[in-house]
Amino acid sequence: MTTANKITMIRVFLIPVFLVFCLVNFKFHYIAAVVVFAIASITDFIDGQIARRCNQVTTFGKFVDPLADKLLVISALLVFTQIGFMHSVCTFIIVGRELIITSLRILAMGEGVVMAAGMSGKIKTFTQMVLIIVIFLSADLLPLWAPEFNTVLFINILSYIMAAVTLWSGCDYLWRSRDIILKSK
C-alpha cells in the first residue's frame, strides 16, 4: 500500500472517531469533533499531493479517496440533521448531488470519458469543509461568547449556504456533462 493510500485510510478510520465526539455529550465535544474533522480534511489534501508528486496514483486511491471524502462530509451532515442544525432538505440536496455526480462519473467512464474535478466541485468541497468546521465551533463557542445570539439560526443559515453552493456545483457538472448524458447508449 502506498503512502498516499495509507493517509487516505487514516481519514476513513477517523470517521468513527469523529462520530463518537459528535454524539457523546461532554464539555466542548464539538470542538473535539472539529479537530478530528479538520485533521481528516487535511489528509485529503496531503494524500492527493503525495499521490501526484511521488507517482503514487493507484486505482485503489482513485476509488477510496473520493469515497472517504463523501463519507466524512455525509457523516457530519447526518449529525447536523439529527441534532437540528441542518434541515433535512439541505441534507437531501447535498447527499443527492453526491449520488448524482457519482452516477454521472460512472456513466462517463462507460463512455470512455474521465470526468476531472471541476472548479465548482473544488469550491463546493472547500465550502463544505469550512462551513462544517464553523458550524461545530459555533455550536460550542457562540453560546459562551454571545449567549443572546441565536446560534441555531446562524447555523441553519450556514447550512443553507452549504446546500446552495452544492446545488450550484451539481448543476454546473450536469450542464458541462450534458453531451455525455444525452449521447450515452
Side-chain angles (χ1 to χ4, degrees):
M1 183 174 285
T2 66
T3 302
N5 288 342
K6 288 176 186 174
I7 293 170
T8 301
M9 292 309 297
I10 289 170
R11 184 162 63 259
V12 171
F13 292 125
L14 285 174
I15 294 170
V17 175
F18 165 71
L19 286 171
V20 167
F21 285 148
C22 287
L23 300 173
V24 175
N25 195 1
F26 58 92
K27 191 171 183 168
F28 301 119
H29 67 109
Y30 292 137
I31 291 176
V34 84
V35 167
V36 174
F37 185 88
I39 291 168
S41 298
I42 290 167
T43 66
D44 182 33
F45 174 76
I46 294 170
D47 64 9
Q49 291 296 315
I50 290 173
R52 285 185 291 281
R53 286 188 183 163
C54 300
N55 197 23
Q56 294 184 2
V57 176
T58 65
T59 302
F60 177 80
K62 288 178 189 177
F63 169 73
V64 174
D65 182 67
L67 182 62
D69 297 343
K70 287 168 184 29
L71 289 173
L72 179 64
V73 168
I74 290 170
S75 66
L77 301 179
L78 293 175
V79 167
F80 289 163
T81 304
Q82 178 179 339
I83 60 180
F85 287 173
M86 181 175 276
H87 194 281
S88 58
V89 171
C90 292
T91 306
F92 176 78
I93 288 169
I94 296 168
V95 172
R97 183 261 185 217
E98 297 305 335
L99 293 173
I100 290 167
I101 300 307
T102 298
S103 299
L104 182 58
R105 287 181 189 279
I106 292 168
L107 177 68
M109 279 191 295
E111 296 293 321
V113 176
V114 175
M115 275 183 56
M119 184 54 67
S120 67
K122 292 176 183 181
I123 291 169
K124 180 262 320 172
T125 300
F126 177 78
T127 301
Q128 286 177 346
M129 299 295 187
V130 168
L131 290 182
I132 287 169
I133 289 169
V134 170
I135 288 170
F136 276 120
L137 291 175
S138 298
D140 263 353
L141 299 177
L142 276 178
L144 296 173
W145 294 340
E148 69 287 345
F149 189 78
N150 190 336
T151 303
V152 174
L153 176 62
F154 175 69
I155 288 172
N156 274 286
I157 290 169
L158 295 178
S159 71
Y160 281 104
I161 291 169
M162 189 185 322
V165 170
T166 302
L167 183 61
W168 162 73
S169 169
C171 290
D172 178 59
Y173 269 81
L174 289 171
W175 178 254
R176 287 188 299 110
S177 304
R178 64 190 179 280
D179 292 340
I180 296 168
I181 295 168
L182 295 173
K183 99 170 188 179
S184 65
K185 300 172 189 160

